[in-house]
Amino acid sequence: MQSDSVKRTFVVAFFLCLFCSVLVSGAAVLLKEKQVENKKLDIKKNLLIASGLLDGSEASKEIIESKFKRVKTIVVDLETNEIVDSVDPESFEMRKNAKDPSKNISLDSSVDIAKISKISKLSKIYLISSDSGSIDKVVLPVHGKGLWSTLYGFLALDKDKKTIKGLGFYEHAETPGLGGEVDNPNWKKTWVNKVAYNESGKPTIKIVKGSVDPNAKGSESMVDGLSGATITGNGVQALVNFWLSDSGYGKVLNSLSLEGAI
Ligand SMILES: Cc1cc2nc3c(=O)[nH]c(=O)nc-3n(C[C@H](O)[C@H](O)[C@H](O)COP(=O)(O)O)c2cc1C
């Protein structure tokens, strides 16, 4: 074969492509386990940040795992509002269940303000213990639609089960600098100590346009808006209020005794 023939060019290109594709797919297979492990670690890290056990700075695997010892995971049934001891929280996958008709709940459009249509009947809840060993926070996995994506995160409540102690998302595809500002630590701080329910027990979080006027009626349940990202903000407001309502964790929270749960 001539060194500059068309045939030789195609043969070389073919083997080069084959080599590269083997290299890329080999790396993807070899790194898959590591990626899954890193994803799980990142979820734990975000849970710890939402619950105030970690600040937003870099933390090693050892620190994350050690802090996570303060977290007890339980599985609850959102229909019976009871703790389910027969399911292992470690291997239980909420997202998979939400897609399975035998394991999910279809939401009526009148209650589906987070625009997620189906939720898993069973859900994980995380109980955070204080230095003295008693439970001082409850962390709820939450999700709902923003503008471009479904945002997945954690909402931490104080032991009174109505004061917000933190909110953070570990997965979304909102625009950096706009909806992506949900990850801004300064914005996340504004959620701390907001009161999630009104006197009649209705979830009442409101993300306002601009900044909250501290003298406004109901300001204890209002959060600053995200500039240029009202749609994402509306989505976050809806998902928080949905998961705190009786269609989400509302009834479970009412019946959950934090003394008995640990
Ligand atoms: C390329 C592009 C990306 C955008 N990304 C977001 C976003 O992630 N979240 C959002 O709420 N609005 C986003 N917007 C803006 C919305 O279309 C809309 O204008 C905005 O939510 C209104 O908010 P405002 O009333 O605070 O300006 C984006 C707009 C453009 C052009």
Side-chain angles (χ1 to χ4, degrees):
M1 214 187 307
Q2 249 185 319
S3 69
D4 59 350
S5 70
V6 172
K7 189 172 167 195
R8 189 185 165 98
T9 305
F10 275 106
V11 170
V12 170
F14 173 76
F15 281 106
L16 191 63
C17 289
L18 192 67
F19 175 75
C20 291
S21 57
V22 169
L23 208 67
V24 171
S25 46
V29 171
L30 284 177
L31 294 175
K32 175 112 182 111
E33 216 171 289
K34 187 85 194 145
Q35 282 173 341
V36 172
E37 197 188 307
N38 282 345
K39 177 88 195 157
K40 280 189 182 164
L41 199 66
D42 186 55
I43 292 175
K44 281 184 178 176
K45 182 181 161 192
N46 275 279
L47 192 154
L48 292 172
I49 292 172
S51 45
L53 290 177
L54 262 188
D55 60 21
S57 57
E58 281 304 302
S60 66
K61 181 176 180 213
E62 288 68 36
I63 292 177
I64 294 171
E65 294 296 358
S66 129
K67 299 250 181 194
F68 212 77
K69 292 195 181 111
R70 300 254 298 261
V71 181
K72 180 186 158 92
T73 312
I74 58 171
V75 175
V76 291
D77 187 321
L78 298 181
E79 283 185 325
T80 63
N81 310 314
E82 285 168 351
I83 297 174
V84 182
D85 293 319
S86 55
V87 175
D88 172 25
E90 230 2 84
S91 54
F92 167 67
E93 293 181 61
M94 272 168 72
R95 283 208 214 177
K96 219 168 157 186
N97 274 19
K99 289 185 193 142
D100 181 340
S102 66
K103 295 178 181 165
N104 68 19
I105 302 169
S106 275
L107 299 171
D108 189 80
S109 58
S110 61
V111 296
D112 187 19
I113 52 175
K115 304 210 169 51
I116 45 181
S117 53
K118 290 177 176 63
I119 57 171
S120 170
K121 273 180 204 166
L122 301 185
S123 177
K124 289 185 200 186
I125 285 189
Y126 305 89
L127 308 174
I128 314 293
S129 56
S130 64
D131 289 333
S132 65
S134 60
I135 298 169
D136 68 351
K137 285 186 200 98
V138 184
V139 180
L140 311 169
V142 294
H143 67 279
K145 282 264 155 43
L147 173 58
W148 307 113
S149 63
T150 303
L151 296 101
Y152 291 88
F154 296 108
L155 177 70
L157 294 179
D158 190 36
K159 58 179 176 302
D160 67 4
K161 297 185 276 181
K162 64 175 196 178
T163 307
I164 293 177
K165 285 294 169 188
L167 173 72
F169 297 100
Y170 59 87
E171 186 181 319
H172 67 79
E174 301 303 284
T175 313
L178 294 171
E181 286 297 290
V182 290
D183 297 330
N184 187 324
N186 291 331
W187 187 69
K188 291 201 279 187
K189 267 188 220 150
T190 64
W191 283 82
V192 178
N193 292 332
K194 291 294 166 185
V195 181
Y197 294 97
N198 64 13
E199 296 90 47
S200 29
K202 192 174 181 298
T204 189
I205 287 297
K206 173 128 189 72
I207 299 185
V208 299
K209 250 187 178 290
S211 302
V212 176
D213 170 2
N215 300 317
K217 190 170 180 280
S219 62
E220 68 282 359
S221 301
M222 293 177 187
V223 178
D224 292 351
L226 292 167
S227 172
T230 298
I231 302 174
T232 303
N234 288 345
V236 173
Q237 172 185 307
L239 76 89
V240 167
N241 286 332
F242 168 78
W243 284 104
L244 291 174
S245 75
D246 284 352
S247 302
Y249 299 110
K251 289 185 192 156
V252 171
L253 286 172
N254 276 337
S255 56
L256 187 68
S257 155
L258 296 183
E259 278 76 38
I262 201 127

Coordinates of all heavy atoms in Angstrom, one line a residue, residues 35-74:
Q35 N -16.8 7.3 40.2 CA -17.8 8.4 40.0 C -19.0 8.3 40.9 O -19.5 9.2 41.5 CB -18.2 8.4 38.5 CG -17.2 9.1 37.6 CD -17.5 8.9 36.2 OE1 -18.3 8.1 35.8 NE2 -16.9 9.7 35.3
V36 N -19.5 7.0 41.0 CA -20.7 6.8 41.8 C -20.4 7.1 43.3 O -21.1 7.7 44.0 CB -21.1 5.3 41.7 CG1 -22.2 4.9 42.7 CG2 -21.6 5.0 40.2
E37 N -19.2 6.6 43.7 CA -18.7 6.9 45.1 C -18.6 8.4 45.3 O -19.1 8.9 46.4 CB -17.4 6.2 45.3 CG -17.0 6.0 46.7 CD -15.5 5.6 46.8 OE1 -15.2 4.6 46.1 OE2 -14.7 6.2 47.5
N38 N -18.0 9.1 44.4 CA -17.9 10.6 44.6 C -19.2 11.3 44.6 O -19.4 12.2 45.3 CB -17.0 11.2 43.4 CG -15.6 10.9 43.6 OD1 -15.1 10.6 44.7 ND2 -14.8 11.1 42.6
K39 N -20.2 10.8 43.8 CA -21.5 11.4 43.7 C -22.2 11.2 45.1 O -22.8 12.1 45.7 CB -22.3 10.7 42.6 CG -23.7 11.1 42.5 CD -23.9 12.3 41.6 CE -25.2 12.9 41.8 NZ -25.4 14.3 41.4
K40 N -22.0 10.0 45.7 CA -22.7 9.7 47.0 C -22.0 10.6 48.1 O -22.7 11.1 48.9 CB -22.4 8.2 47.4 CG -23.4 7.3 46.7 CD -23.3 5.9 47.3 CE -24.2 5.0 46.6 NZ -23.9 3.6 46.8
L41 N -20.7 10.8 48.0 CA -20.0 11.6 48.9 C -20.4 13.1 48.8 O -20.6 13.8 49.8 CB -18.5 11.5 48.7 CG -17.6 11.9 49.8 CD1 -17.8 11.0 51.0 CD2 -16.1 11.9 49.4
D42 N -20.7 13.5 47.6 CA -21.1 14.9 47.3 C -22.5 15.1 47.9 O -22.8 16.2 48.5 CB -21.1 15.2 45.8 CG -21.4 16.6 45.6 OD1 -20.6 17.5 46.1 OD2 -22.3 16.9 44.8
I43 N -23.4 14.1 47.8 CA -24.7 14.2 48.4 C -24.6 14.3 49.9 O -25.3 15.2 50.5 CB -25.6 13.0 47.9 CG1 -25.8 13.1 46.4 CG2 -26.9 13.0 48.7 CD1 -26.6 11.9 45.8
K44 N -23.8 13.5 50.5 CA -23.6 13.5 52.0 C -23.1 14.9 52.4 O -23.5 15.5 53.3 CB -22.6 12.5 52.4 CG -23.1 11.1 52.5 CD -22.1 10.1 53.0 CE -22.6 8.7 53.1 NZ -21.6 7.8 53.6
K45 N -22.1 15.4 51.6 CA -21.5 16.7 51.9 C -22.6 17.8 51.9 O -22.7 18.7 52.8 CB -20.4 17.1 50.9 CG -19.7 18.3 51.1 CD -18.6 18.6 50.1 CE -18.3 20.0 50.0 NZ -17.5 20.4 48.9
N46 N -23.4 17.8 50.9 CA -24.5 18.8 50.8 C -25.5 18.7 51.9 O -26.0 19.7 52.4 CB -25.2 18.7 49.4 CG -24.4 19.5 48.3 OD1 -24.6 20.7 48.3 ND2 -23.6 18.8 47.6
L47 N -25.8 17.4 52.3 CA -26.7 17.2 53.4 C -26.1 17.9 54.7 O -26.8 18.6 55.4 CB -26.9 15.7 53.6 CG -28.0 15.3 54.5 CD1 -28.5 13.9 54.1 CD2 -27.7 15.3 56.0
L48 N -24.8 17.6 54.9 CA -24.1 18.2 56.1 C -24.1 19.7 56.0 O -24.2 20.4 57.0 CB -22.7 17.6 56.2 CG -22.6 16.1 56.5 CD1 -21.1 15.6 56.3 CD2 -23.1 15.8 57.8
I49 N -23.9 20.3 54.8 CA -23.8 21.7 54.7 C -25.2 22.3 55.0 O -25.4 23.2 55.8 CB -23.4 22.2 53.3 CG1 -21.9 21.8 53.1 CG2 -23.6 23.7 53.1 CD1 -21.4 22.1 51.7
A50 N -26.3 21.7 54.5 CA -27.7 22.1 54.8 C -28.0 22.1 56.2 O -28.7 22.9 56.8 CB -28.7 21.3 53.9
S51 N -27.4 21.0 56.9 CA -27.8 20.9 58.3 C -26.8 21.6 59.2 O -26.9 21.5 60.5 CB -27.8 19.4 58.7 OG -26.8 18.7 58.2
G52 N -25.9 22.4 58.6 CA -25.0 23.2 59.4 C -23.8 22.5 60.1 O -23.1 23.1 60.9
L53 N -23.6 21.2 59.7 CA -22.5 20.5 60.3 C -21.2 20.7 59.6 O -20.1 20.4 60.0 CB -22.8 19.0 60.3 CG -23.9 18.5 61.3 CD1 -24.1 17.0 61.2 CD2 -23.5 18.8 62.7
L54 N -21.3 21.2 58.4 CA -20.1 21.6 57.6 C -20.3 22.9 57.0 O -21.5 23.3 56.7 CB -20.0 20.6 56.4 CG -19.1 19.4 56.3 CD1 -19.1 18.8 54.9 CD2 -17.7 19.7 56.8
D55 N -19.2 23.7 56.9 CA -19.4 25.0 56.1 C -19.2 24.6 54.6 O -18.9 23.5 54.3 CB -18.5 26.1 56.6 CG -17.0 25.7 56.5 OD1 -16.7 24.8 55.7 OD2 -16.2 26.3 57.3
G56 N -19.3 25.6 53.8 CA -19.2 25.3 52.3 C -17.8 25.0 51.8 O -17.7 24.6 50.7
S57 N -16.8 25.1 52.7 CA -15.4 24.9 52.1 C -15.1 23.4 51.9 O -15.9 22.6 52.2 CB -14.4 25.5 53.2 OG -14.6 24.8 54.4
E58 N -14.0 23.2 51.2 CA -13.6 21.8 50.8 C -13.5 21.0 52.1 O -13.0 21.4 53.1 CB -12.3 21.9 50.1 CG -12.4 22.3 48.6 CD -13.3 21.4 47.8 OE1 -13.1 20.2 47.8 OE2 -14.3 22.0 47.3
A59 N -14.0 19.7 51.9 CA -13.8 18.8 53.1 C -13.4 17.5 52.6 O -13.9 17.0 51.5 CB -15.2 18.7 53.8
S60 N -12.5 16.8 53.3 CA -12.0 15.5 52.8 C -13.1 14.5 53.0 O -14.0 14.7 53.8 CB -10.7 15.2 53.6 OG -11.1 15.0 54.9
K61 N -12.8 13.3 52.4 CA -13.7 12.2 52.6 C -13.8 11.8 54.1 O -14.9 11.5 54.6 CB -13.2 11.0 51.7 CG -14.1 9.8 51.8 CD -13.6 8.7 50.9 CE -14.5 7.5 51.0 NZ -14.0 6.3 50.9
E62 N -12.7 11.8 54.7 CA -12.6 11.4 56.1 C -13.5 12.3 57.0 O -14.2 11.9 57.8 CB -11.2 11.4 56.7 CG -10.3 10.4 56.2 CD -9.9 10.5 54.7 OE1 -9.8 11.6 54.2 OE2 -9.9 9.5 54.0
I63 N -13.4 13.7 56.7 CA -14.1 14.6 57.5 C -15.6 14.4 57.3 O -16.4 14.4 58.2 CB -13.7 16.1 57.2 CG1 -12.3 16.4 57.7 CG2 -14.7 17.1 57.8 CD1 -11.8 17.7 57.3
I64 N -16.0 14.2 56.0 CA -17.4 14.0 55.6 C -18.0 12.8 56.4 O -19.0 12.8 57.0 CB -17.6 14.0 54.1 CG1 -17.3 15.3 53.5 CG2 -19.0 13.5 53.7 CD1 -17.2 15.3 52.0
E65 N -17.2 11.7 56.2 CA -17.7 10.4 56.8 C -17.8 10.6 58.4 O -18.7 10.1 59.0 CB -16.8 9.3 56.5 CG -16.8 8.9 55.0 CD -18.1 8.4 54.5 OE1 -19.1 8.3 55.2 OE2 -18.2 8.2 53.2
S66 N -16.8 11.3 58.9 CA -16.8 11.4 60.4 C -18.0 12.3 60.9 O -18.7 11.9 61.8 CB -15.5 11.9 60.9 OG -15.6 13.0 61.7
K67 N -18.3 13.4 60.1 CA -19.4 14.2 60.5 C -20.7 13.5 60.3 O -21.7 13.7 61.0 CB -19.4 15.5 59.7 CG -18.2 16.3 59.9 CD -18.5 17.6 60.6 CE -17.3 18.4 60.8 NZ -17.4 19.5 61.7
F68 N -20.7 12.6 59.3 CA -22.0 11.9 58.9 C -22.4 10.9 60.0 O -23.5 10.4 60.0 CB -21.8 11.2 57.6 CG -23.1 11.1 56.8 CD1 -23.6 12.2 56.1 CD2 -23.9 10.0 56.8 CE1 -24.8 12.2 55.5 CE2 -25.1 9.9 56.1 CZ -25.5 11.0 55.5
K69 N -21.5 10.6 61.0 CA -21.9 9.8 62.1 C -23.0 10.4 62.9 O -23.6 9.8 63.7 CB -20.6 9.5 63.0 CG -19.6 8.6 62.2 CD -18.6 8.0 63.2 CE -17.6 7.2 62.4 NZ -16.3 7.8 62.4
R70 N -23.1 11.7 62.8 CA -24.1 12.5 63.6 C -25.5 12.4 62.9 O -26.5 12.9 63.3 CB -23.8 13.9 63.7 CG -22.4 14.2 64.4 CD -22.7 14.7 65.8 NE -23.3 16.0 65.8 CZ -22.7 17.2 66.0 NH1 -21.4 17.2 66.1 NH2 -23.4 18.3 66.1
V71 N -25.5 11.7 61.7 CA -26.8 11.6 60.9 C -27.4 10.2 61.0 O -26.7 9.2 60.7 CB -26.5 11.9 59.4 CG1 -27.8 11.9 58.6 CG2 -25.8 13.3 59.3
K72 N -28.6 10.1 61.4 CA -29.3 8.8 61.4 C -30.3 8.9 60.3 O -31.2 9.8 60.3 CB -29.9 8.6 62.8 CG -30.7 7.2 62.8 CD -31.4 7.1 64.2 CE -32.6 6.2 64.1 NZ -32.2 4.8 64.5
T73 N -30.3 7.9 59.4 CA -31.2 7.9 58.3 C -32.4 6.9 58.6 O -32.1 5.8 59.0 CB -30.5 7.4 57.0 OG1 -29.3 8.1 56.9 CG2 -31.4 7.6 55.8
I74 N -33.6 7.4 58.5 CA -34.8 6.5 58.6 C -35.6 6.6 57.3 O -35.5 7.5 56.5 CB -35.7 6.9 59.8 CG1 -36.2 8.4 59.7 CG2 -34.9 6.7 61.2 CD1 -37.2 8.8 60.7

